[in-house]
Amino acid sequence: SGAPTSAEQAAQVAAPDTMSEGDVDPAGMAFWDGLAAPSGGASVPLTVLRDALVGAGGAFSHVPPVAVSRLLRYVVRRASNAADAAAPVDRRDWELFMHRFGPFRRCVDKALACLFTGEGESTTLAPWFHGAISRAAAEALMGGASPGHFLVRFSENFPTLFTLVYLKSAGGGAMRNKHCLLYNLGDRGYALKREASLSARDVVYPSIAAFVAGNPGILSHPCYSALYHQCLAEVEAAGGIGRGRGGDGARFGGIDVDDDGSIGSGDDGGSDPDADAPEDEDDGGAGGGGAGGG
């Protein structure tokens, strides 16, 4: 018989049930290595990667190709121009994607639930996601905003993690930006702490969008990104219905939200990131454990 396909190779590798910032799912890397072997493993054309994921026998054949294309261009690939469909995806791009959204068997569905709204041609990037911007750039974007404004970015110093940035009152009319790391815990979802540091009172959310929706009192006003506006223009040009302009009603990333703002999936209310969130280690804070400063 012939050599196994990249999808078959990936299926032969056991995927972890939980992940930490140091883990990468070997099944995902086996998929990449099988796909990239003809080109020496350095990079894969975006369309080839998309077709391998959603094509017949692909791990995500149930996902519309247009949704995977937007995911690859706006989230996976580090190239600055998301509209350049010809630019390839390199191995480091894919490795970071596995860290952030693994395990492999769920990575596409998980990433879309985390950072996109809508379906098919209407698949639109969440307005609060800014990609790989620096801490300084995030704080500049928040300048002049009021408490409740927030954004999500890739951590500058810890690129396998996400950073939630939100504005809070520091008293006396002063404002302060808080930077909190978000950890991918594999099948469990996302939390403000590493798996080993979680306590019984910590809430783990199925997606980053669910985390945002579960904390409406603190994360009430998204700071819109240039990536979002670019994606929205693409959706509208393709005849899709732009989602996320002024909010997405009672659904965000496929997670039902009750009228009181709590997550409609069994969680007992929001996790309140300001209560005990570790400070983003970009500024030398506590990182994975302990309370954030101020």
Side-chain angles (χ1 to χ4, degrees), residues 201-215:
R201 63 185 294 270
D202 293 316
V203 179
V204 178
Y205 289 91
S207 71
I208 293 174
F211 183 98
V212 169
N215 292 280

Side-chain angles (χ1 to χ4, degrees), residues 123-205:
T123 302
T124 310
L125 193 68
W128 37 260
F129 178 67
H130 288 247
I133 65 170
S134 68
R135 181 189 184 94
E139 295 198 345
L141 287 168
M142 300 284 262
S146 57
H149 279 83
F150 72 97
L151 61 85
V152 174
R153 61 183 174 90
F154 293 137
S155 175
E156 187 175 12
N157 287 352
F158 300 87
T160 62
L161 307 181
F162 295 88
T163 298
L164 165 69
V165 186
Y166 65 99
L167 197 64
K168 61 170 289 188
S169 174
M175 302 293 170
R176 181 186 177 192
N177 287 298
K178 294 280 288 184
H179 299 256
C180 301
L181 291 173
L182 290 171
Y183 294 82
N184 175 19
L185 305 183
D187 284 331
R188 295 192 63 190
Y190 295 84
L192 289 164
K193 296 178 182 177
R194 299 177 177 93
E195 184 81 35
S197 300
L198 290 175
S199 67
R201 63 185 294 270
D202 293 316
V203 179
V204 178
Y205 289 91

